[in-house]
Amino acid sequence: GGTFTAGDGSGVLFAYNVGATDGKGKMEISNATFNGIVGGDDLYDVVINSGTFNSKVDPSYIADGKASASLTSGDETAYYIGTGAEVAEKLETAADGDKIEVMQGDVDLELADGVVVSNSGDGKVTANNEPVTDEEVTAHVHDAKPVAAKEATCTEDGNIAYWYCENC
């Protein structure tokens, strides 16, 4: 937990196992906010379970079974790591015109109209119950309205009762 900001001007948060001779050290990150690039040396294992980041995280640091995604809103991009449900919850704030890229894991999204979603990983991703593959999908919230049945006449066609969404 907590917020961590790189303070040495380099914008990099690294884990170093200085002077280690008997194996690797380990840095495990959960429920944290990082402002800087997360990294490590060859003598240190970095394992990220969950968190919010302002730069893309090396996929090799992400714990097995976790999801990762980015949300771009205007000029700002945030990166989220966690369970599929944790990542989906963070992405619920996306609004019309925002872009989401799911890079890893299974994520089931409920989004506002007009959010663009892509799946660059190999996980199962849905946006408003529609599958998202490597093609971008624009989220759509159906606004179906009932259309009453109408009998055909000599001059007009008829129809059965149905539901219609103008945006579809």
Side-chain angles (χ1 to χ4, degrees):
T3 299
F4 301 87
T5 301
D8 64 358
S10 69
V12 181
L13 299 159
F14 273 98
Y16 287 107
N17 197 5
V18 178
T21 58
D22 59 349
K24 288 187 165 193
K26 183 176 183 180
M27 178 172 73
E28 195 163 344
I29 300 170
S30 297
N31 302 319
T33 299
F34 274 80
N35 299 309
I37 299 169
V38 176
D41 64 14
D42 291 340
L43 295 174
Y44 221 92
D45 285 329
V46 177
V47 179
I48 301 173
N49 293 303
S50 60
T52 301
F53 303 82
N54 72 343
S55 62
K56 190 171 183 177
V57 174
D58 183 328
S60 68
Y61 297 152
I62 301 171
D64 291 339
K66 300 299 180 176
S68 69
S70 65
L71 169 59
T72 301
S73 181
D75 293 335
E76 301 285 323
T77 300
Y79 298 86
Y80 302 103
I81 296 171
T83 65
E86 289 169 337
V87 170
E89 183 179 342
K90 296 285 188 180
L91 299 173
E92 286 177 358
T93 61
D96 186 6
D98 289 351
K99 291 189 176 197
I100 291 173
E101 177 186 4
V102 178
M103 298 165 284
Q104 181 175 323
D106 298 340
V107 182
D108 184 20
L109 301 165
E110 292 297 325
L111 301 169
D113 261 344
V115 177
V116 177
V117 183
S118 64
N119 179 4
S120 62
D122 58 5
K124 180 184 171 197
V125 178
T126 60
N128 299 352
N129 298 317
E130 297 293 326
V132 179
T133 58
D134 55 351
E135 300 284 326
E136 283 187 347
V137 171
T138 301
H140 173 65
V141 178
H142 295 287
D143 185 21
K145 301 211 182 329
V147 177
K150 182 171 83 171
E151 292 292 323
T153 67
C154 299
T155 58
E156 290 186 27
D157 291 336
N159 60 267
I160 61 171
Y162 63 94
W163 291 84
Y164 182 75
C165 176
E166 286 185 28
N167 295 324
C168 291

